[in-house]
């Protein structure tokens, strides 16, 4: 299959592509097996009364999520979002226009939950829920990476990601789940991380890393695991433990803690920063997966919780952890659940903190020293990851999530270039593999969805000789490593911000 | 005829106020369990108020999204606002002074409203993406508004209407002291019927975008999840179970 996949051509002039109805019709990631489904408490296969159950589930979600309810009502079909999705730009399939993607669900909402839809379905674009519609949901709600780019441009902030999450939750509830995401969630619960890396393997990996760094630098940089009473608990995506180029950033974090003299630890129980509960829209799963981190923090007695380079993990940590687990500040005095943990944490620091916030703070206080010449062979650009850019913040300032990583890069390297401003900061394009789509059975979509980012990269590669694209997301790193070659780039062009820090940091001088 | 219109307008007003009121109640009672502003977002309530002000008055996000849609949409809504303000003179006695002040803009606003609507309709017909997502009701809504505006302007230019009589009729309706509607003018009946239709449709259609905007979590939530714990009632129950 992989050999048939080719990258779409770059657009010579960046015009909005014409629509090609049906271009991606029938694309269908592997369906979860009964074992995978049942492990999460979902029906093993499509239930007989799926129609009734799907409608009932939709009704339930409408009473639980204001976002869904308002978004399904408020859209005026103005079309402002219609050319904003990277999957539309890359595939030209009109059902990948954010508004059309919402309409797949909205049409059914209208039919069963609104008076005009019940009386005059044709007039208002309402449809019966049929098996064809259900299949269409499965297909097109797995062609959305929940990147929120559309919500930036919508006059009402309608976030298609919320609609996609609701649709996936409905699909799961009738036994029509996606293999990739649900299998991974099963692994987190069973083994502790998305990659299914068991405790002993983790210990081995970390020991190996200590040896590598020693060989490289002559210095004993530790990668501690399950250290009781450490100051910092680091939660990072499990890809950081062994995937390339992720691992280079893990080395970077360790060097930062080492150079600053901060005691830190990883946890074998919470050896995963990612939280795929977000992708399938399940509050229950989101919460269960996040609670592991609360438990680890309580058990280890840590004072600070720091999150590594992972986009959606940071959104979940920054925006949702306080809600889900109490990791944060400002709980009500009567809120015993949250206070139990909040009392333990040191509120001179933000809880949780992003590793970039930690590093930037240390750089500013001159608690660590960087030698930017170490990165002189690189001309660097920065790819903003969607969940960081549009679903979180860093520091005290609005937009700190854009400034802090860039400031670190500027401190760690001498050559930094921005990509086209229509493709950075809150307008950044998804890498093409986010939101639970980072699976080989969706390779064609992933390659096409990367088009807008690749075009922007090509521009700076040609003009400014950019040869390194830094990013702070595990999914972005994996996706680009796979996809860059389709566009004629070297797969090693992508890497983490802390990979640059790792190259530049001075060890053993303080 | 007067009786018929009296009944229609009572029904329409009830529908509009009751329907929109119910929607607002319904939106307000539905919880938003997670903090999901589209960032970068303001971190304080005051900041959110300012963001919303820019959205409502300038359509800031739409401006970033599509300049053409913004231009036509903004012209239409601004004109609509002026027209509606001008119309307040039928419902107030004495007429508020600021309503007096907008009177001279009426005709221009009527015309620019048609211009804006025509532009929006043009997009629906000529832009392939917008044509693809348009339903018959989207077209009808634009048609309805254009017809209202045309019939209103006709009363101004073609077939003058007894404005004093119209005012007496509506002032009477409001205090349940029924007065006759001027009978000489067919266009008035058309204008009024279409307006009543609009009022009835409002709470069941995409016109809910107007109240909806104020309940859109991605716009109205402040970005302060680390500083303040946010828990919805149904999610809090899960903690109690533990
Ligand atoms: C708080 C008040 C309101 C705000 C902020 C608002 C905002 C918007 C925005 C941003 C759009 C999308 C751009 C466009 O197509 O113009 C829109 C569309 C629209 N609005 Fe409003 N609106 C408001 C009130 C109203 C009211 C009271 C009406 C009633 C007649 C109305 C009728 C429409 C229609 C018909 C459209 C769709 C135009 C089309 O088909 O392209 N709006 N509105
Ligand atoms: C019960 C409500 C309404 C009544 C009694 C009413 C009545 C009238 C009358 C009597 C005129 C003629 C003005 C003149 O000759 O000076 C007029 C004009 C007009 N109406 Fe209405 N109307 C109503 C609602 C609306 C609504 C909701 C809209 C828009 C959606 C609208 C749009 C217009 C326009 C564009 C004009 C022409 C410009 C102007 O005179 O301001 N009307 N209306
Ligand atoms: S959330 Fe992102 S992937 Fe999904 S429809 Fe919007 S722009 Fe496309
Ligand atoms: S921008 Fe918002 S209102 Fe306009 S079509 Fe897209 S989702 Fe609907």
């Amino acid at each position: 299959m992989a050999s048939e996949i080719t990258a779409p051509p770059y657009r010579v002039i960046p015009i909005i592509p014409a629509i090609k109805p049906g271009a991606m019709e029938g694309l269908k990631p592997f369906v979860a097996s009964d074992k995978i489904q049942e492990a999460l408490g979902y029906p093993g296969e499509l239930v007989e009364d799926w129609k009734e159950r799907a409608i009932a589930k939709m009704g339930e979600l409408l009473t639980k999520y204001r976002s869904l309810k308002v978004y399904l009502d408020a859209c005026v079909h103005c079309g402002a979002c219609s050319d904003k999705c990277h999957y539309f730009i890359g595939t030209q399939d009109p059902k990948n226009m954010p508004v059309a993607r919402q309409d797949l669900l909205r049409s059914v909402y209208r039919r069963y939950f609104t008076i005009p839809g019940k009386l005059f379905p044709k007039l208002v674009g309402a449809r019966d829920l049929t098996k064809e519609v259900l299949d269409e949901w499965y297909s097109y709600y797995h062609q959305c990476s929940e990147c929120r780019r559309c919500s930036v441009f919508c006059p009402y902030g309608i976030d298609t990601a919320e609609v996609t999450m609701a649709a996936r939750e409905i699909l799961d509830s009738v036994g029509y789940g996606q293999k990739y995401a649900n299998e991974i969630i099963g692994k987190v619960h069973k083994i502790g991380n998305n990659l299914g890396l068991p405790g002993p393997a983790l210990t081995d990996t970390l020991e190996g890393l200590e040896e590598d760094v020693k060989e490289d630098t002559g210095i004993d940089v530790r990668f501690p695991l399950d250290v009781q009473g450490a100051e910092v608990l680091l939660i990072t995506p499990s890809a950081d433990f062994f995937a390339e180029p992720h691992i280079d950033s893990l080395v970077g974090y360790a060097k930062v803690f080492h150079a600053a003299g901060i005691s830190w630890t990883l946890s074998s129980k919470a050896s995963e920063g990612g939280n795929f509960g977000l992708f399938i829209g399940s509050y229950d799963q989101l919460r269960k997966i996040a609670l592991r981190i609360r438990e680890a923090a309580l058990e280890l007695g840590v004072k600070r919780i720091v999150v590594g380079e992972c986009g959606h993990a940071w959104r979940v940590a920054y925006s949702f952890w306080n809600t889900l687990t109490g990791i944060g500040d400002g709980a009500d005095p009567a809120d015993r659940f949250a206070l139990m943990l909040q009392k333990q944490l040191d509120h001179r620091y933000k809880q949780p903190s992003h590793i970039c916030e930690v590093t930037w703070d240390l750089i500013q206080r001159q608690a660590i020293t960087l030698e930017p010449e170490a990165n002189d062979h690189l001309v660097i650009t920065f790819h903003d990851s969607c969940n960081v850019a549009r679903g979180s913040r860093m520091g005290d300032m609005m937009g700190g999530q854009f400034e802090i990583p860039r400031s670190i890069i500027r401190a760690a390297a001498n050559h930094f270039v921005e990509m086209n401003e229509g493709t950075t900061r809150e307008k950044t394009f998804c890498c093409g593999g986010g939101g639970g789509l980072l699976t080989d059975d969706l390779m064609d979509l992933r390659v096409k969805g990367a088009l807008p980012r690749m075009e922007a990269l090509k521009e700076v590669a040609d003009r400014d000789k950019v040869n390194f694209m830094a990013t702070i997301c595990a999914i972005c790193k994996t996706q680009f490593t796979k996809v860059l070659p389709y566009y004629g780039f070297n797969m090693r062009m992508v890497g983490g911000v802390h990979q640059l820090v790792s190259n530049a940091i001075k060890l053993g001088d303080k | 005829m007067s009786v018929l219109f009296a009944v229609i307008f009572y029904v329409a007003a009830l529908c509009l106020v009751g329907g929109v009121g119910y929607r607002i109640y319904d939106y307000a009672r539905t919880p938003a369990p997670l903090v999901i502003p589209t960032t970068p977002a303001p971190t304080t309530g005051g900041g959110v108020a300012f963001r919303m002000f820019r959205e409502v008055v300038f359509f800031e996000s739409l401006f970033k999204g599509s300049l053409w849609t913004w231009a036509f949409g903004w012209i239409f809504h601004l004109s609509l606002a002026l027209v509606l303000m001008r119309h307040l003179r039928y419902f107030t006695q004495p007429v508020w002074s600021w309503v007096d002040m907008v009177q001279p803009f009426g005709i221009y606003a009527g015309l620019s409203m048609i211009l804006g609507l025509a532009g929006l309709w043009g997009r629906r017909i000529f832009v392939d993406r917008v044509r693809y997502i348009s339903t018959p009701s989207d077209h009808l809504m634009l048609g309805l508004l254009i017809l209202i505006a045309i019939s209103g302007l006709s009363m101004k230019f073609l077939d003058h209407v007894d404005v004093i009589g119209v005012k007496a009729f509506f002032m009477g309706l409001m205090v349940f002291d029924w007065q006759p509607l001027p009978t000489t003018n067919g266009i008035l009946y058309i204008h009024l019927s279409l307006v009543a239709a609009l009022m009835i449709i409002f709470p069941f259609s995409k016109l809910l975008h107007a109240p909806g905007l104020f309940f859109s979590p991605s716009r109205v939530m402040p970005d302060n999840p680390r500083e303040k714990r946010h828990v919805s009632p149904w999610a809090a129950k899960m903690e109690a179970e533990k």
Side-chain angles (χ1 to χ4, degrees):
Chain A
M1 189 168 155
S3 59
E4 301 163 19
I5 298 170
T6 50
Y10 292 122
R11 291 169 291 171
V12 187
I13 336 166
I15 42 158
I16 303 164
I19 60 174
K20 270 195 207 155
M24 299 301 278
E25 205 165 81
L27 179 77
K28 192 172 169 183
F30 296 142
V31 178
S33 69
D34 50 350
K35 273 224 317 268
I36 294 174
Q37 284 288 97
E38 278 156 14
L40 304 188
Y42 298 129
E45 56 182 38
L46 191 62
V47 293
E48 215 151 276
D49 55 345
W50 56 267
K51 185 172 162 183
E52 291 70 31
R53 282 220 228 171
I55 293 167
K57 187 75 187 175
M58 187 186 281
E60 180 198 324
L61 295 179
L62 284 166
T63 64
K64 286 169 102 174
Y65 293 95
R66 184 185 295 168
S67 51
L68 184 66
K69 188 177 211 122
V70 172
Y71 295 164
L72 289 182
D73 277 342
C75 173
V76 295
H77 283 170
C78 72
C81 60
S82 63
D83 56 344
K84 301 298 185 285
C85 178
H86 51 289
Y87 290 122
F88 170 67
I89 295 173
T91 67
Q92 294 175 254
D93 189 318
K95 286 184 184 142
N96 277 330
M97 298 190 291
V99 44
R101 195 186 312 287
Q102 298 158 22
D103 276 349
L104 300 176
L105 198 78
R106 185 176 287 119
S107 54
V108 173
Y109 163 72
R110 289 242 166 98
R111 184 75 181 101
Y112 297 97
F113 294 93
T114 70
I115 294 170
K118 284 177 188 165
L119 298 178
F120 320 105
K122 282 258 160 43
L123 183 72
V124 296
R127 308 186 287 179
D128 287 327
L129 180 56
T130 61
K131 184 67 182 16
E132 285 72 41
V133 172
L134 198 76
D135 286 336
E136 199 175 45
W137 284 3
Y138 189 83
S139 179
Y140 286 97
Y141 287 116
H142 290 104
Q143 300 188 43
C144 168
S145 58
E146 303 176 349
C147 77
R148 314 190 91 199
R149 189 168 194 269
C150 39
S151 84
V152 171
F153 301 96
C154 171
Y156 322 113
I158 295 177
D159 180 5
T160 314
E162 294 287 315
V163 179
T164 294
M165 288 172 197
R168 292 189 189 170
E169 196 170 9
I170 295 171
L171 287 167
D172 270 328
S173 78
V174 298
Y176 201 174
Q178 184 212 16
K179 170 169 182 269
Y180 171 70
N182 289 359
E183 188 171 36
I184 280 182
I185 294 175
K187 278 189 207 155
V188 177
H189 292 313
K190 219 161 131 201
I191 309 171
N193 53 57
N194 289 359
L195 293 169
L197 208 62
L202 190 56
T203 314
D204 277 356
T205 311
L206 295 176
E207 279 169 8
L209 276 175
E210 289 180 353
E211 284 162 25
D212 291 349
V213 177
K214 171 101 185 178
E215 213 168 277
D216 250 24
T217 63
I219 291 173
D220 282 309
V221 174
R222 292 267 156 259
F223 288 80
L225 184 64
D226 295 329
V227 177
Q228 196 71 34
E231 169 157 347
V232 167
L233 169 63
L234 179 77
I235 302 292
T236 206
S238 54
D240 280 3
F241 297 126
F242 87 116
E244 284 287 349
H246 309 61
I247 207 160
D248 299 324
S249 286
L250 176 63
V251 172
Y253 320 147
K255 286 184 181 171
V256 167
F257 289 129
H258 176 93
I262 297 171
S263 77
W264 67 291
T265 185
L266 293 157
S267 154
S268 53
K269 174 178 215 163
S271 54
E272 177 60 63
N275 189 330
F276 276 33
L278 175 71
F279 297 158
I280 63 166
S282 159
Y283 191 96
D284 237 20
Q285 287 299 335
L286 197 57
R287 179 167 179 274
K288 269 192 201 132
I289 296 169
L291 280 177
R292 293 157 38 256
I293 292 151
R294 171 190 165 93
E295 284 158 25
L298 286 169
E299 278 166 25
L300 295 169
V302 295
K303 298 277 172 233
R304 301 166 64 182
I305 303 179
V306 173
V307 180
E309 293 182 358
C310 179
H312 83 281
W314 178 239
R315 179 176 185 203
V316 173
Y318 170 88
S319 293
F320 306 154
W321 271 1
N322 201 1
T323 298
L324 298 167
T325 69
I327 299 172
D329 202 348
D332 195 86
D335 183 351
R336 284 178 39 223
F337 174 84
L339 281 182
M340 190 170 147
L341 182 60
Q342 295 196 350
K343 275 192 187 140
Q344 175 190 318
L345 298 175
D346 180 349
H347 294 284
R348 287 173 305 165
Y349 302 94
K350 301 238 184 270
Q351 302 291 356
S353 291
H354 193 280
I355 185 72
C356 284
E357 294 180 303
V358 174
T359 302
W360 180 235
D361 177 53
L362 295 169
I363 294 173
Q364 280 180 307
R365 294 189 349 233
Q366 300 181 334
I368 56 174
T369 313
L370 301 182
E371 294 175 322
E373 297 73 33
N375 285 313
D376 270 353
H377 58 296
L378 300 175
V379 183
I380 300 159
T381 191
F382 183 67
H383 163 79
D384 290 280
S385 300
C386 1
N387 276 295
V388 177
R390 292 183 283 260
S392 80
R393 178 163 57 103
M394 289 181 202
D396 285 316
M397 286 243 312
M398 215 174 125
Q401 70 270 35
F402 310 131
E403 303 312 328
I404 290 178
R406 284 174 170 79
S407 303
I408 297 176
I409 297 175
R410 287 206 182 89
N414 287 319
H415 311 298
F416 175 71
V417 184
E418 287 280 5
M419 284 183 276
N420 185 320
E421 67 174 353
T423 73
T424 57
R425 297 172 190 251
E426 74 267 27
K427 293 182 186 166
T428 187
F429 277 105
C430 172
C431 60
L437 308 183
L438 193 71
T439 169
D440 284 346
D441 42 318
L442 288 173
M443 204 58 212
D444 183 31
L445 179 77
R446 286 167 55 189
V447 170
K448 290 182 167 133
L451 178 70
R453 172 49 74 227
M454 292 295 108
E455 286 176 337
L457 179 62
K458 177 97 169 94
E459 196 186 329
V460 288
D462 289 348
R463 192 184 62 210
D464 304 306
K465 309 268 174 304
V466 164
N467 58 7
F468 191 82
M469 181 165 64
T471 181
I472 46 174
C473 174
I475 289 178
C476 293
K477 290 173 195 169
T478 307
Q479 157 76 353
F480 284 133
T481 306
K482 267 269 169 95
V483 167
L484 280 166
Y486 286 93
Y487 289 87
F489 293 111
N490 182 337
M491 64 184 265
R492 305 213 43 121
M493 248 180 104
V494 65
V497 167
H498 278 79
Q499 178 174 340
L500 300 171
V501 172
S502 172
N503 294 344
I505 193 166
K506 251 171 102 174
L507 294 175
D509 68 330
K510 294 218 169 156
Chain B
M1 213 52 169
S2 299
V3 179
L4 181 65
F5 269 99
V7 172
I8 291 178
F9 269 91
Y10 279 128
V11 171
L14 204 70
C15 209
L16 179 70
V17 175
V20 173
Y22 175 75
R23 286 305 176 136
I24 289 176
Y25 160 75
D26 200 23
Y27 292 155
R29 76 171 167 176
T30 310
L34 294 166
V35 182
I36 57 166
T38 308
T39 59
T43 54
T44 60
V48 168
F50 184 52
R51 181 187 205 178
M52 291 307 289
F53 172 80
R54 296 192 320 261
E55 289 293 352
V56 172
V57 177
F58 302 115
F59 298 1
E60 186 183 28
S61 298
L62 182 62
F63 183 78
K64 289 189 255 178
S66 163
L67 217 49
W68 283 112
T69 313
W70 176 83
F72 290 126
W74 199 68
I75 291 176
F76 156 56
H77 283 84
L78 183 70
S79 315
L80 177 68
L82 282 171
V83 166
L84 291 181
M85 284 191 250
R86 197 173 117 94
H87 275 68
L88 281 178
R89 75 195 146 123
Y90 301 121
F91 305 93
T92 53
Q93 186 63 32
V95 175
W96 302 331
S97 59
W98 62 268
V99 175
D100 260 341
M101 272 161 52
V102 294
Q103 294 305 323
F105 300 107
I107 317 167
Y108 308 108
L111 289 171
S112 57
M113 182 171 152
I114 295 181
L115 176 82
L117 287 164
L120 290 170
W121 210 342
R123 276 184 64 77
R124 285 209 188 285
I125 296 166
F126 296 114
V127 178
D128 64 348
R129 285 167 289 119
V130 188
R131 185 179 343 129
Y132 181 90
I133 55 174
S134 297
T135 61
S137 57
D138 294 326
H139 292 285
L140 283 179
M141 185 67 77
L142 289 169
L144 177 65
L145 285 164
I146 286 183
L147 283 179
I148 292 179
I150 290 179
S151 58
L153 285 170
S154 311
M155 284 185 278
K156 197 131 195 132
F157 291 119
L158 300 180
D159 193 357
H160 272 286
V161 68
D162 169 15
V163 183
I164 313 280
V166 174
K167 176 161 183 164
F169 175 77
F170 279 96
M171 295 293 290
L173 278 190
M174 291 198 303
V175 292
F176 301 99
D177 170 20
W178 294 290
Q179 305 290 327
L181 192 60
T183 47
T184 50
N185 192 310
I187 301 179
L188 177 66
Y189 294 150
I190 298 179
H191 190 67
L192 293 184
S193 315
L194 294 173
V195 167
L198 183 74
M199 290 165 72
I200 293 171
I201 293 170
F202 200 102
F204 304 105
S205 68
K206 65 174 185 176
L207 296 181
L208 287 170
H209 67 284
L213 174 59
F214 299 93
F215 291 92
S216 169
S218 47
R219 288 289 180 266
V220 301
M221 288 182 115
D223 178 25
N224 61 358
R226 280 195 292 197
E227 288 75 22
K228 197 169 170 304
R229 186 161 198 245
H230 169 102
V231 195
S232 72
W234 63 259
K237 276 199 205 118
M238 296 172 144
E239 275 159 29
E241 281 160 19
K242 256 200 104 142

